């Protein structure tokens, strides 16, 4: 899962569906390290799950968000991944503008 989270430097399991994470995020000219929590919920293996995260980035502000993820068999082999993302930010990151934040959330 660590490789699927952009900028994730550390991911430590703290419970069955909960992890402590350290993520470095770059949004436009601002780069910040966030420490926080990642939670998996609404588990429906192997079809779907929800991933949520929240973290503090010091002077850069805070970030909260998540994604509803659906996995489907691809008739040609492999898996089709579909997701819907939402994010909330505050602090210096919020001053950069919603277009850049939306793009980073999708990533």
């Amino acid at each position: 899962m660590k490789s699927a989270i952009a900028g994730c430097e550390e991911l430590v399991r703290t419970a069955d569906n909960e992890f402590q994470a350290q993520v470095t995020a770059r949004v436009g000219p601002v780069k910040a390290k966030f420490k926080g929590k990642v939670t998996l919920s609404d588990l429906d293996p192997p079809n779907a799950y929800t991933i949520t995260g929240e973290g503090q980035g010091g002077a850069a502000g805070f970030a909260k968000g998540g994604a509803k993820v659906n996995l489907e068999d691809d008739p040609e082999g492999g898996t089709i991944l579909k997701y819907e993302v939402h994010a909330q930010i505050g602090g210096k990151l919020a001053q950069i503008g919603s277009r850049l934040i939306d793009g980073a959330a999708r990533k």
Side-chain angles (χ1 to χ4, degrees), residues 36-102:
K37 180 171 74 169
V38 175
T39 305
L40 298 176
S41 60
D42 303 326
L43 300 175
D44 179 20
N47 304 307
Y49 63 92
T50 298
I51 183 169
T52 55
E54 58 184 67
Q56 294 291 326
F62 71 90
K64 293 169 69 171
K68 177 68 178 165
V69 179
N70 290 295
L71 305 168
E72 300 173 4
D73 287 331
D74 186 341
E76 297 178 19
T79 303
I80 298 171
L81 173 83
K82 295 181 180 181
Y83 57 91
E84 183 178 321
V85 174
H86 65 276
Q88 296 175 317
I89 48 92
K92 283 187 183 179
L93 288 176
Q95 297 171 358
I96 293 173
S98 63
R99 282 193 323 235
L100 291 174
I101 299 303
D102 289 344

